[in-house]
């Protein structure tokens, strides 16, 4: 991935040399041309196409934004109700993530969403214990975390 990025930067500078223009717009056009060349030649280059991982990071950030907005709306609905009708509890979520970075990123993303908080991670890094503000259906909470954040993290890191 780093080799492809450096190659893309080099192609962008060569593009600027060929046109003898030292502006950001020519660098950007050269960068796009380089990205397209690398896309066409990716079979002959080591590793996976590097912009795919960049795209996965953007998707993860958009997923976080969507979850933040929906969780904030849900918490706002709880706050504005005349009678507080919640059932807080702790959920144990099994995870397929292996590295410390992946688990830390998952804990960070879950803790950032309102209404959830990571309490503890098991010593073998396979289970996260999460305090949830409203725990009416544990299966939906578990599937939501595993289906959104965990899947997106695996696409970014693997």
């Amino acid at each position: 991935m780093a080799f492809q990025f450096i190659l893309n930067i080099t192609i962008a500078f060569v593009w600027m040399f060929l046109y003898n223009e030292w502006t950001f717009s020519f660098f950007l056009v050269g960068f796009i041309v380089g990205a397209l060349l690398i896309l066409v030649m990716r079979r002959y280059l080591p590793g996976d196409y590097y912009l795919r991982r960049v795209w996965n990071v953007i998707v993860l950030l958009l997923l976080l934004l969507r979850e933040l907005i929906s969780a904030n709306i849900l918490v706002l609905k709880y706050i504005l109700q005349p009678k507080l009708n919640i059932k807080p509890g702790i959920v144990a979520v099994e995870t397929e993530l292996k590295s410390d970075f992946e688990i830390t990123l998952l804990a960070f993303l879950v803790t950032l969403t309102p209404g959830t908080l990571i309490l503890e991670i098991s010593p073998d890094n396979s289970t996260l214990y999460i305090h949830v503000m409203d725990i009416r259906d544990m299966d939906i909470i578990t599937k939501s975390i595993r289906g959104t954040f965990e899947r997106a993290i695996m696409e970014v890191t693997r």
Side-chain angles (χ1 to χ4, degrees), residues 4-154:
Q4 291 178 9
F5 180 70
I6 292 171
L7 181 62
N8 198 358
I9 296 290
T10 305
I11 291 171
F13 277 114
V14 168
W15 184 268
M16 288 178 12
F17 283 132
L18 289 174
Y19 281 96
N20 201 17
E21 281 289 328
W22 302 100
T23 61
F24 180 72
S25 62
F26 270 86
F27 178 80
L28 187 62
V29 170
F31 190 83
I32 292 170
V33 168
L36 291 174
L37 282 173
I38 292 172
L39 179 65
V40 170
M41 302 299 291
R42 72 181 182 271
R43 175 184 305 175
Y44 305 108
L45 297 172
D48 200 17
Y49 184 54
Y50 83 99
L51 285 180
R52 181 174 295 146
R53 186 167 288 180
V54 172
W55 175 253
N56 289 337
V57 169
I58 292 169
V59 168
L60 178 64
L61 291 174
L62 290 175
L63 177 70
L64 174 64
L65 183 65
R66 185 191 78 192
E67 290 293 321
L68 279 174
I69 291 170
S70 65
N72 276 309
I73 290 171
L74 185 65
V75 169
L76 187 63
K77 283 179 10 182
Y78 288 137
I79 291 171
L80 294 177
Q81 288 177 351
K83 182 180 177 191
L84 192 59
N85 189 15
I86 62 172
K87 182 182 174 191
I90 298 173
V91 178
V93 176
E94 298 279 330
T95 182
E96 295 177 17
L97 302 176
K98 300 294 182 209
S99 73
D100 289 339
F101 174 74
E102 293 173 337
I103 293 170
T104 304
L105 184 59
L106 178 63
F108 173 72
L109 293 174
V110 169
T111 300
L112 271 181
T113 18
T116 57
L117 177 69
I118 298 290
L119 295 176
E120 188 173 351
I121 300 171
S122 66
D124 62 348
N125 290 342
S126 66
T127 307
L128 280 75
Y129 297 98
I130 305 171
H131 182 271
V132 182
M133 192 169 85
D134 194 11
I135 191 171
R136 297 191 194 267
D137 195 359
M138 290 192 305
D139 292 333
I140 292 175
I141 295 167
T142 304
K143 287 178 185 176
S144 172
I145 291 172
R146 293 192 66 168
T148 55
F149 288 134
E150 187 177 37
R151 184 176 44 83
I153 290 170
M154 283 194 284

